[in-house]
Amino acid sequence: MQLSKILCLLFASTALSAATSTRRTSTSARAGATPAANAAVPKKLSPATPPTMADVKNSITNWDTSVKTVNAYLNDPQNNTKLQSAIVFAKDEPVQLATMMKVTSLSTSGQNAGKILMGNFPSIISNLNAVSAGSMSTNDATAAVNFNRCCTVLPAIGMLWQAAATATKMQGTVGMPILEDQCSQMSCSSGVSGGAAAVAANGSIAANRM
Ligand SMILES: *[C@@H]1O[C@H](CO)[C@@H](O)[C@H](O)[C@H]1NC(C)=O
Ligand SMILES: *[C@@H]1O[C@H](CO)[C@@H](O)[C@H](O)[C@H]1NC(C)=O
């Protein structure tokens, strides 16, 4: 039932915006945070090896949708429908990561960001699965995921997008991934992984997060 509903919404994103904006139980006040769930499954891409500029563009688009879908759940953590979508889309992120790591002449900072992401994606997916399976409390699991994403993963994703765009000579600017609501209430200065420290060392990423 839910799936067919989501599939309908996939082809009627305006209807979805209307539906999500009138959502009564939302814990999110941010309008920009909800378009997230407007696809039921990630788009299947067939990038060339090495990926072309168009491949990178499509990969960023897929990835951005996944980020927003996971954000939508983290902004509304009691909603099981959003949790299930988040799990499906979170699993597409490593697929896009693999594509971008194959880009020719990816900068060292891009490669490092990719390595950070490889190290961090498994725990995000397993924490989301743990909520779904009931083996971890929603609070504990989402706190872990929020910390990981806000402080390490989302900045690294932005760095990798920029590096892949630069390496393929993409025109225009590549935005940073949108942060979930919890990020604004979080201090990333203590207890961060080596990965986050590496990202934090890059001033342009800090600036881009604003
Ligand atoms: C949970 O999320 C789905 C998908 O966004 C939405 O259709 C539904 O109304 C939400 N449920 C509640 C109780 O907010
Ligand atoms: C910082 O990030 C920018 C954008 O990704 C990149 O161009 C630059 O090389 C990075 N600097 C360092 C020292 O990693």
Side-chain angles (χ1 to χ4, degrees), residues 35-56:
N38 62 4
V41 291
K43 197 167 170 185
K44 183 111 179 68
L45 301 174
S46 308
T49 304
T52 63
M53 180 181 68
D55 291 330
V56 168

Side-chain angles (χ1 to χ4, degrees), residues 21-206:
S21 62
T22 54
R23 216 165 27 131
R24 267 179 254 158
T25 55
S26 173
T27 54
S28 164
R30 263 192 353 184
T34 47
N38 62 4
V41 291
K43 197 167 170 185
K44 183 111 179 68
L45 301 174
S46 308
T49 304
T52 63
M53 180 181 68
D55 291 330
V56 168
K57 208 173 241 179
N58 291 333
S59 181
I60 290 174
T61 300
N62 252 46
W63 202 335
D64 188 53
T65 300
S66 296
V67 165
K68 288 175 179 166
T69 305
V70 176
N71 284 353
Y73 166 64
L74 294 169
N75 292 343
D76 190 8
Q78 302 306 326
N79 187 312
N80 189 58
T81 306
K82 288 182 182 164
L83 170 59
Q84 299 312 321
S85 295
I87 291 171
V88 171
F89 280 80
K91 289 178 183 163
D92 190 57
E93 297 193 56
V95 176
Q96 304 317 322
L97 170 60
T99 296
M100 291 205 196
M101 290 304 271
K102 289 184 200 133
V103 167
T104 305
S105 309
L106 196 63
S107 66
T108 304
S109 59
Q111 289 174 32
N112 289 343
K115 286 175 197 157
I116 291 166
L117 293 172
M118 281 178 206
N120 280 276
F121 278 147
S123 73
I124 290 185
I125 293 170
S126 87
N127 282 329
L128 294 175
N129 277 329
V131 181
S132 185
S135 57
M136 209 170 164
S137 78
T138 300
N139 274 355
D140 288 351
T142 56
V145 170
N146 280 325
F147 186 75
N148 199 355
R149 289 178 99 245
C150 296
C151 298
T152 304
V153 165
L154 293 170
I157 289 173
M159 186 182 286
L160 180 56
W161 287 357
Q162 288 178 9
T166 301
T168 55
K169 301 187 166 55
M170 198 182 290
Q171 299 295 305
T173 53
V174 174
M176 294 297 287
I178 293 173
L179 307 175
E180 67 255 32
D181 293 350
Q182 280 295 314
C183 297
S184 62
Q185 282 143 50
M186 191 171 289
S187 165
C188 295
S189 55
S190 64
V192 292
S193 69
V199 171
N202 189 317
S204 70
I205 288 298

